[in-house]
């Protein structure tokens, strides 16, 4: 039973379980549960063994130096991550293996082998050197989902110049802020990219940013779309011309294990974006190991992580993890509905994709579009499915399993963050019995706990704050230029523990259930309710594809539950449906969680990475002036929801 004083209550129970199929376990990369004990007994030995699979110029003197909140891994070891991603495989005869099957949105394709990628990375590294970029200099990358974004990142890593990739959907202002913060010397961009049949004007934004960014000397520009762009010979260089003139040999620069590999900015809820700092050795070991365990990567797999390279998911599980593991990946430039809503399933059929990793927001969108799109394609090559980025509602999980995975593929729901660098909580697909909606257990070597307001572990069956108690190799090394903020943000709430900002509960069997950001927790008549659980109860109803719930001020109950619901295609948002959904929540959770208002909407406001912006929905619900909506992926929907929220009949 939920306790009266729980930081967050445990409301929903889930009884469905899915053990790994025996034939999957028989072949799995990890099938012996003793791996958890080994890691717990001797963390350093555990990671040392993982690290020894890589090429190091100089071996480390010690595995870990931990002085909270500062960790150093593989001290005084030297390596180069691109040597481990590329040269190592080519030298051992794996150069002809495909690294990427790339597909552009208009339908153009490229097949890139490990040898070809190595050659391009060497040339690009020589271009960077010719442009005066030295080890330690920061380089901003602002590009669409084309192979050159990966070449650019690896070229930076080859010479030890930390990259900072700015997602191509961000504005010129966002690009400038990030460049200012890290003092980047070069922007690598493209004329544009293809998105839903339209050209995105990256070069225009890069030009604007350049004017406001005195640290930047030049822009290196990939020709992708070929549309007309402004050009200034004093500041612009064509990538293809520079590459044509560049030498194909470029020795990797030997860098210290703690050398900065990249910065990636994450916005957080308030304040200016934080430049999350990742270094080389620990990140290399962490991304490769977690990728091999969680995705059960085999030499013959065709793996598709459908994130954008501009997010940490792309950094760790499109670029570094897969290349370190000599994986064949699929990479796709455009949107899932171009030219039609079956594009992903068409890609999976044509390339024989065996592992798909994507976000719950995509899954809910596919649910809304209807089963006929995946149903018209042969998805039998799939053997494993993954999700990341948000809690996945149990019904969305079931849909993913049944409609996409043909009821045969295990699902790995992976919890992690830009800051953690690697997956922290996830099933191991050959070992873990899964439950729909639970990320299950911490990976080997990860010490996660759920604590109450005082930092005490909560008993099984209760909810609270998710913390990590021990360091891990790919953990962030700080916020660029702001040690104080690093300490304050992550280490001050529960001394000695990393506090991720997420709520979680542990069920009676110890399974972890992520409950969303603690800033989103609602307080209704003294009940601390996570938005996730009410949303999951709504999505459980057959008529619902997606739901967002927020707490809005209420004179009687403190906060009242306000719900925004996207119905599945073909379902009408009638008054009867409103009543039905309300009763459904009351039945599943309890009358106190019943939404006071429900607004039907065709879509929900989302960030560019697909997370629901509950803050905006709270503003709408409480009739507040709306803040900046320019960072939304779908800004138009806000006006529509605002109108509906004020005229909605759905008030209790
Ligand atoms: O709230 C958690 C949610 O996404 C946050 C991290 O976001 P970001 O740094 O953009 O990285 C996303 C990709 C790793 C977390 O604090 N989150 C991520 N994965 C899950 C999740 N929430 C629930 N379940 C997940 N599997």
């Amino acid at each position: 039973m939920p306790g009266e004083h729980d930081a967050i209550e445990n409301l929903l129970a889930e009884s469905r379980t899915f053990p790994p199929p025996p034939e999957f376990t028989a072949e799995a990369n990890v099938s012996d549960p003793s791996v958890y004990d080994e890691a717990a007994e001797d963390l350093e030995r555990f990671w040392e063994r993982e690290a020894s699979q890589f090429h190091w110029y100089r071996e480390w003197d010690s595995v870990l130096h931990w002085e909270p909140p500062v960790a150093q891994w593989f001290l005084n070891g030297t390596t180069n991550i691109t040597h481990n991603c590329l040269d190592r495989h080519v030298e051992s005869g794996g150069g002809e293996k495909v690294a990427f099957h790339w597909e552009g949105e208009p339908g153009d394709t490229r097949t890139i082998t490990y040898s070809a990628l190595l050659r391009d990375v060497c040339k690009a590294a020589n271009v960077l050197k010719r442009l005066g970029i030295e080890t330690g200099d920061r380089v901003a990358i602002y590009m669409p989902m084309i192979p050159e974004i990966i070449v650019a990142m690896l070229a930076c890593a080859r010479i030890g110049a930390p990259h900072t990739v700015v997602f191509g959907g961000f504005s010129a202002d966002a690009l400038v802020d990030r460049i200012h913060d890290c003092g980047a010397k070069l922007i690598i961009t493209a004329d544009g990219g293809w998105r839903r049949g339209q050209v995105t004007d990256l070069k225009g934004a890069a030009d604007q940013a350049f004017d406001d960014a005195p640290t930047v000397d030049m822009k290196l520009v990939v020709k992708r779309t070929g549309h007309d762009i402004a050009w200034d010979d004093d500041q612009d260089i064509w990538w293809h011309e520079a590459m044509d003139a560049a030498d194909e040999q470029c020795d990797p620069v030997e860098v210290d294990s703690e050398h900065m590999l990249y910065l990636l900015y994450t916005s957080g809820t308030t304040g200016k974006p934080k430049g999350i700092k990742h270094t080389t050795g620990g990140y290399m070991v962490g991304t490769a190991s977690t990728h091999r365990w969680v995705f059960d990567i085999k030499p013959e797999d065709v793996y598709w992580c459908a994130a954008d390279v501009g997010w940490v998911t792309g950094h760790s599980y499109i670029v570094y993890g897969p290349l370190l593991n000599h994986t064949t990946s699929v990479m796709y430039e455009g949107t899932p509905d171009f030219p039609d809503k079956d594009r992903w399933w068409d890609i999976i059929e044509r390339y024989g994709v065996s592992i798909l990793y994507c976000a719950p927001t995509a899954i809910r969108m596919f649910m809304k579009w209807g089963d006929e799109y995946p149903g018209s394609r042969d998805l039998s090559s799939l053997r494993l499915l993954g999700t990341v980025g948000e809690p996945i509602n149990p019904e969305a999980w079931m849909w993913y399993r049944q409609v996409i995975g043909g009821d045969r593929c295990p699902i790995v729901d992976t919890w992690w963050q830009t800051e953690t660098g690697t997956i922290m909580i996830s099933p191991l697909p050959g070992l873990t019995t899964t439950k729909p909606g639970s990320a299950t257990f911490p990976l080997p070597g990860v010490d996660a706990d759920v604590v109450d307001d005082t930092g005490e572990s909560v008993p099984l069956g209760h909810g609270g704050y998710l913390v990590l108690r021990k360091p891990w190799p790919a953990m962030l090394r700080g916020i660029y230029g702001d040690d104080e903020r690093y300490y304050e943000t992550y280490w001050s709430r529960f001394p000695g523990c990393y506090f991720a900002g997420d709520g979680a509960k542990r069920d009676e069997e110890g399974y972890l259930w992520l409950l969303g950001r603690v800033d989103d927790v609602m307080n209704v008549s003294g009940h601390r309710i996570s938005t996730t659980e009410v949303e999951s109860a709504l999505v459980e109803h057959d008529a619902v594809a997606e739901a967002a719930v927020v707490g809005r001020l209420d004179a009687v109950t403190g906060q009242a539950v306000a719900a925004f619901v996207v119905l599945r295609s073909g379902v009408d948002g009638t008054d009867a449906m409103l009543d039905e959904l309300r009763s459904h929540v009351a039945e599943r959770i309890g009358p106190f969680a019943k939404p006071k208002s429900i607004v039907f909407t065709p879509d929900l406001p989302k960030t560019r990475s697909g997370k629901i912006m509950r803050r905006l929905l709270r503003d709408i619900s409480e009739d507040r002036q709306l803040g900046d909506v320019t960072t939304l992926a779908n800004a138009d929907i806000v006006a529509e929801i605002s109108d509906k929220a004020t005229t909605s009949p759905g008030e209790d």
Side-chain angles (χ1 to χ4, degrees), residues 312-313 388-391 413-419 502 514 517 611:
V312 74
T313 308
V388 59
E390 275 193 300
D413 169 0
T414 64
W415 177 87
W416 59 296
Q417 306 177 301
T418 305
E419 292 87 339
D502 283 356
L514 277 303
R517 307 293 298 168
K611 292 190 208 300

